[in-house]
Structures are given as structure tokens and as C-alpha cells.
Amino acid sequence: MVLSEETRENERARIAELVLDLVKERGAEVPFATAINESGVSRARFEQIFIDYDDLFDAIAQSWLKPHMAAMEEVLETDLPPNRKLYEFFRRRFVISRDRFREDPEFFTNICEMGAANFERVRSYVDLADHYQCELIAEAQAEGYFAGLEIDEALSLINQMVSNYTVPDSLIYLGEKLTEQKLARIVDTMFIGLSAEAGGEATGVNTIRIAT
Amino acid sequence: MVLSEETRENERARIAELVLDLVKERGAEVPFATAINESGVSRARFEQIFIDYDDLFDAIAQSWLKPHMAAMEEVLETDLPPNRKLYEFFRRRFVISRDRFREDPEFFTNICEMGAANFERVRSYVDLADHYQCELIAEAQAEGYFAGLEIDEALSLINQMVSNYTVPDSLIYLGEKLTEQKLARIVDTMFIGLSAEAGGEATGVNTIRIAT
């Protein structure tokens, strides 16, 4: 029997959720064979739904990252000023991850390890987040922020400065040291201070220094 | 035979270097028993020098982090303005790590993994770096930077914004995306923008917004 596209999509989502539940229960990554056994469908049917483990992992990542995707898309559609928008862009995803971490740190850690081990499958989400972030940077630059920086430069600098709030593993190491208030301070600090002119003072390239 | 304190210190340094060489050669952490066998001294003598693996690891960390410690102490003693000083405080250690990473990425990665697995033994170095950084923050605040922030708040915010340049593992993930120019921009951005006032704009706590 050939699956309809709709049934296949529904089955992918259902089994991805099921595998996430199994990871939570067992405290370990679930092998492909176990996923087949636990899926409630025949091996032949399973292999119509997922070609291989990578394909299954794609569905798991899609399921896990769905709230993050929704949060980013919501923020992009708002009519907030650029600094509020960039803050919300990071904050909402951070809160989703933090709530998950607080609810079950062990499960969260396992998911992070799975993400690291299958990073190539997660890269498209990182790229999409970067793509959205570039839109926000362009909007900010239209209002005079991040002056003189190429979008890619601004993207890289911003990513480096907020990485503890976007890389989920940071929660494992820093936990309650990561707060929304600090994130807001970091975002404002970037909006106030980040431009192509920043850098000269610290490196001492300028030979004359205005007394402060 | 009881070892003199000087002999013991010299032997600790010698064996720590030897173990680092073995890690490099073998591409794996060196167990205590192997360290004993390779040390060129008897087990009884070895156990006078190192009580256990933790004690050996302390000597390895001391050896590995010696250039970082020297760099921090040198910067603290300079008479540079606060922004130059904080930049150099991060830059010099970053360059040491980057050079080591470029020279032998696999060895560097193994050392990072050893550090993560024995983090409690490395914590005192992190604490000391924080302590030095607090001195630099106090000097900067005396000149009006980071206004209104408690030293601990400023420390945490700065650490979060530059963490990719201080946590050595970042080199493994970000490699050439980490540059001295970006670090300089980040440091200047903090000096321009970071204060107790930062945060209100991004969170939208203020109800009236001045047109920009």
C-alpha cells in the first residue's frame, strides 16, 4: 500500500513524538530498530515513513523545534521597534528552552547530546534562524543601528554576544545565571554600542585618545 | 626517602609535561597507572609526588594554564586605559588557545574534554580569572564605565558576552569565526553600551519612547 502524503506526514509527526517520549522515559537516544519495534507499525510501513535514522532524526528535530520556529515567525510579524523585536526573537526561544530544562534537566541534556551528535541535521534550523535574524538586523540598520557593519558581520557579532541564550547546552552549564533581564541588557548594550566604529578604542589603533 | 619540597615541585612539573606529551601522542586521556609506568620513577616515589589522579590533574592543569596565568598577571600590571586592558585580558588568552588549537586540533580537543571531565579541578582557575576581571571592572567603573551595575552583575554580563573567547571549546565549534577584531568590537560595544540603564528599551518597560 502506498501511503498518502497526509498520512505519511501525520505518521512522521506521531512517531517523532513517540520517540521523544521514549528518550524521556529511557534516558538515552533511541536506536532506529527500537523506534521500529515501538512504533506500532510494521517494519515495511515504517520504512515507507522514514528512509533511515537521519530521516527519523529530521522528524524529531522538527517536532522538538516547532515552538521555536513558531516563536521566531511570530516575532518577525510583529510591528515592534527593532530592539524590542530582537530581544523577543531571542527571549521567546530562551524561555521555551529554559522551561524544558527546568522541567526535566536530564531529558533536556539528552536532547542536547542528540542534537550535537546529529548536528548536520540541525544545521538547516540554525541557518533559518540566521536568515530571520538578518531580516531583523536590516530593519535595525534602516533605523540607524549597527551603523557601517555588513549584515554578516553584525550577524556574527550578535550571535557571539548572545550565544549563551541561543545555544541550549548553555542552560546545562550556566542554569540560573541566564536571565531575561541580563539578555535585555545585552540586547540594549548591542543597540547602543555596536557599530563599525567599535573596536578601535579597545585595540588602541587610534593614537589620540579624547580625555573622558 | 622523603623528597625535598623543591624536588617534589620539579618532579610534579616534569611529570605533568610528560603526561601532556603522552596525551598528544596517544590521542586520549592518560590513566594514573600509565602515568606511573611512564614516569621513570618507582610507584612508591610517584605516590609521594602525587596522592591520586586528581592531584596529578591539578599539576597538568597548572602546566597547561601557566601561559594564561602569566598573560592575565601581565595585563593587570600594565598602565593601559580600562578598555584596552580588558581587551588585552581576553585577547592574550584567546591567542594562546587559538595557536594551540591551530597547531593540533585533536590534542586541543582532548585537553578540552579532560578539562570538562575534571571541571572541579579547573574551577579555581576560573575563579581566579573572575577575581582579576573584577579588578578591571572596578578600574573601569572608577572612570565611569558600566555605571550603576554591581561588580558581580557586570562580571556576569561581560562573561556571557565574551564567553566564546574565554571558553576554549568554542574554538572547536567556531574556529576562524572567532577573531581578534570581533573581540575588540565586542569589548568596545560593552564599554559604550553596558550600564544599569541598558535593558529597559529592549524589554519595553518604558511606556514613552523618544522618536529616533
Side-chain angles (χ1 to χ4, degrees), chain B residues 90-98 165 171 178 180:
Chain B
F90 296 127
R91 187 191 69 81
R92 294 193 190 186
R93 285 179 291 156
F94 166 66
V95 168
I96 294 164
S97 294
R98 187 187 56 189
Y165 292 88
L171 281 160
L178 299 172
E180 289 163 271

Side-chain angles (χ1 to χ4, degrees), chain B residues 100-133:
Chain B
R100 285 171 164 179
F101 173 68
R102 283 182 181 165
E103 197 192 311
D104 192 337
E106 196 193 333
F107 177 47
F108 186 85
T109 304
N110 281 326
I111 296 289
C112 284
E113 281 169 11
M114 284 169 60
N118 300 278
F119 183 70
E120 282 313 310
R121 318 306 299 178
V122 187
R123 185 180 292 276
S124 62
Y125 292 95
V126 176
D127 290 345
L128 186 58
D130 279 351
H131 172 75
Y132 287 151
Q133 198 176 316

